[in-house]
Amino acid sequence: DILMNFRLAFSAYGEVNWCEALGTVLANDEVVNGVSERGGHPVIKKKMRQWYLRITEYADRLLEGLETVAFSDSMKEMQRNWIGKSEGAEMVFRVSDTGSEEEIKVYTTRPDTIFGVDFLVLAPEHELVAKITTDDQRAAINEYLSYVKSRSDRERMSEVKQITGCFTGAYALNPFDGRKIPVWIAEYVLAGYGTGAIMAVPCGDQRDYSFAKHFNIPITNIIGT
């Protein structure tokens, strides 16, 4: 397990599209409306051990190599987005009123917007969801998790007009001003991207704004007028 933290090719558990009827893992393209493209069988999210390539360790080399190949500009831009190198900071929000020391780690490229954070959003598969969900919200969370399990990653990311989510009942503390921030889960946040959690700044991000308006979450304005 220790060596896996240093290998370029490493083994770890991750979410996959599992079809029990076909007995295999399916790509996002093979899942349509929660069922397999072949045969129309139910597909669920399942954690399985699989192999990954740690491209973050050689992202610079990949980006430099793009300049030496005769690809079109559009193809190069697509490759840059796939490599996904970005610079930012990791923020830590301590969960309050749970009697535990749980912390939510968020990666952001805009740490300067910390005072405009009005809520946090975890991926439904995030390991902390079960730990921080309050008893009052557990039934609603379980119902939402059942819905998300039938959705592919592509469906969750592409349907920007459909806003779904569920409040965990938990709050986290802003590490700078101590303000209590509600913690939600939503399907547009993926467990395999970043830390599986985001800090939402509605006054500066359209998707966060739409989510906040949809669920009547108060919005803090940190943008000067």
Side-chain angles (χ1 to χ4, degrees), residues 44-55:
I44 64 171
K45 287 291 185 181
K46 184 178 181 180
K47 277 196 173 183
M48 296 183 66
R49 196 173 185 88
Q50 52 195 304
W51 286 94
Y52 296 87
L53 291 177
R54 203 185 308 273
I55 68 171

Side-chain angles (χ1 to χ4, degrees), residues 95-98 104 119-142 144-145 165-172 181-186 211 215 217:
V95 178
S96 65
D97 303 330
T98 62
I104 298 174
F119 58 99
L120 300 181
V121 185
L122 304 182
E125 306 86 359
H126 198 289
E127 61 181 5
L128 287 181
V129 173
K131 297 179 181 179
I132 68 174
T133 298
T134 62
D135 293 337
D136 292 342
Q137 287 297 111
R138 197 165 298 281
I141 287 290
N142 288 338
Y144 186 71
L145 292 178
C166 190
F167 178 43
T168 65
Y171 290 83
I181 304 167
V183 182
W184 289 67
I185 64 172
F211 191 94
F215 290 107
I217 301 173

Side-chain angles (χ1 to χ4, degrees), residues 8 15 43 48 51 60 77 108 110 114 116 124-125 133 137 139 146 153 156 166 177 184 187 203 214 221:
L8 290 180
E15 295 279 344
V43 177
M48 296 183 66
W51 286 94
D60 288 335
E77 184 61 25
T108 176
R110 291 295 306 276
I114 185 65
E125 306 86 359
T133 298
Q137 287 297 111
S146 296
D153 289 353
R156 288 167 58 177
C166 190
D177 60 17
W184 289 67
E187 62 177 327
C203 73
H214 184 81
N221 183 19

Side-chain angles (χ1 to χ4, degrees), residues 3-4 6 16 31 51 73-74 92 95-96 100 105 126 136 145 151 180 185 200 205 210:
L3 288 175
M4 285 298 174
F6 298 93
V16 297
V31 182
W51 286 94
D73 290 340
S74 60
V92 178
V95 178
S96 65
S100 66
K105 293 182 179 180
H126 198 289
D136 292 342
L145 292 178
R151 306 268 288 164
K180 292 179 68 172
I185 64 172
D205 183 276
S210 298

Side-chain angles (χ1 to χ4, degrees), residues 7-190:
R7 290 173 173 164
L8 290 180
F10 65 98
S11 177
Y13 284 93
E15 295 279 344
V16 297
N17 300 314
W18 174 256
C19 180
E20 185 67 30
L22 298 177
T24 188
V25 173
L26 300 179
N28 289 328
D29 294 342
E30 299 174 301
V31 182
V32 180
N33 296 323
V35 299
S36 62
E37 186 178 37
R38 176 182 296 180
H41 304 294
V43 177
I44 64 171
K45 287 291 185 181
K46 184 178 181 180
K47 277 196 173 183
M48 296 183 66
R49 196 173 185 88
Q50 52 195 304
W51 286 94
Y52 296 87
L53 291 177
R54 203 185 308 273
I55 68 171
T56 51
E57 295 299 321
Y58 54 94
D60 288 335
R61 183 176 177 182
L62 290 174
L63 291 170
E64 292 169 2
L66 278 178
E67 305 306 319
T68 66
V69 294
F71 287 173
S72 65
D73 290 340
S74 60
M75 177 62 74
K76 288 182 178 181
E77 184 61 25
M78 184 173 66
Q79 289 294 309
R80 292 189 189 97
N81 293 334
W82 178 81
I83 294 168
K85 181 184 178 181
S86 63
E87 295 182 0
E90 190 174 84
M91 316 292 283
V92 178
F93 295 79
R94 184 170 58 83
V95 178
S96 65
D97 303 330
T98 62
S100 66
E101 297 297 324
E102 301 294 349
E103 294 179 337
I104 298 174
K105 293 182 179 180
V106 174
Y107 172 78
T108 176
T109 58
R110 291 295 306 276
D112 56 314
T113 62
I114 185 65
F115 293 104
V117 178
D118 288 317
F119 58 99
L120 300 181
V121 185
L122 304 182
E125 306 86 359
H126 198 289
E127 61 181 5
L128 287 181
V129 173
K131 297 179 181 179
I132 68 174
T133 298
T134 62
D135 293 337
D136 292 342
Q137 287 297 111
R138 197 165 298 281
I141 287 290
N142 288 338
E143 182 179 351
Y144 186 71
L145 292 178
S146 296
Y147 157 75
V148 173
K149 284 182 179 179
S150 67
R151 306 268 288 164
S152 71
D153 289 353
R154 175 162 295 185
E155 289 173 328
R156 288 167 58 177
M157 293 299 293
S158 63
E159 296 179 10
V160 295
K161 293 183 179 180
Q162 177 174 308
I163 301 174
T164 70
C166 190
F167 178 43
T168 65
Y171 290 83
L173 301 178
N174 186 307
F176 282 79
D177 60 17
R179 184 161 57 98
K180 292 179 68 172
I181 304 167
V183 182
W184 289 67
I185 64 172
E187 62 177 327
Y188 74 87
V189 179
L190 304 179

